[in-house]
């Protein structure tokens, strides 16, 4: 997940050093049952890099890493995974 203050612009900032983003899809995953009373919704982002070969490097460098500058982009620890290419499509 990532903070509610994050937008597509924030994600572009985080992924800029990996060649930038060609597309972004933001989503909130709601908790179910008792978990919904304890934990807030988890915000997810599905991103596609302009430079697809950089995806592995982005995942390995960003997974469980604190990102954000605390000024323009609120700091948080991100979890990154690479989805199978057919698992998500941005329509391109």
């Amino acid at each position: 997940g990532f903070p509610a203050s994050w937008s597509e612009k924030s994600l572009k900032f985080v992924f800029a050093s990996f060649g930038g983003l060609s597309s972004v899809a933001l989503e909130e995953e709601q908790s179910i049952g008792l978990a919904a009373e304890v934990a807030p919704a988890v915000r997810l982002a599905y991103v596609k890099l302009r430079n697809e070969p950089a995806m592995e490097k982005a995942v390995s460098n960003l997974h469980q890493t604190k990102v954000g500058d605390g000024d323009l982009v609120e700091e948080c620890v991100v979890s990154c995974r690479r989805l199978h290419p057919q698992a998500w499509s941005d329509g391109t």
Side-chain angles (χ1 to χ4, degrees):
F2 55 92
S5 65
W6 277 35
S7 63
E8 186 173 327
K9 185 177 181 179
S10 304
L11 289 161
K12 286 180 178 181
F13 174 83
V14 170
F15 285 92
S17 62
F18 302 100
L21 300 176
S22 63
S23 63
V24 177
L26 302 173
E27 180 180 295
E28 278 199 19
E29 191 172 88
Q30 299 295 326
S31 300
I32 299 173
L34 293 175
E37 297 173 17
V38 181
V42 175
R43 296 188 73 221
L44 304 172
Y46 298 94
V47 300
K48 185 173 183 182
L49 297 182
R50 284 191 187 119
N51 179 9
E52 186 141 345
M55 185 62 80
E56 289 300 326
K57 184 176 181 181
V59 170
S60 65
N61 287 354
L62 293 175
H63 184 64
Q64 298 302 317
T65 301
K66 185 186 230 180
V67 297
D69 64 358
D71 185 30
L72 296 173
V73 177
E74 182 179 349
E75 290 181 335
C76 77
V77 175
V78 295
S79 294
C80 293
R81 287 189 311 219
R82 183 171 184 157
L83 295 177
H84 190 276
Q86 281 76 36
W88 173 70
S89 173
D90 63 358
T92 60

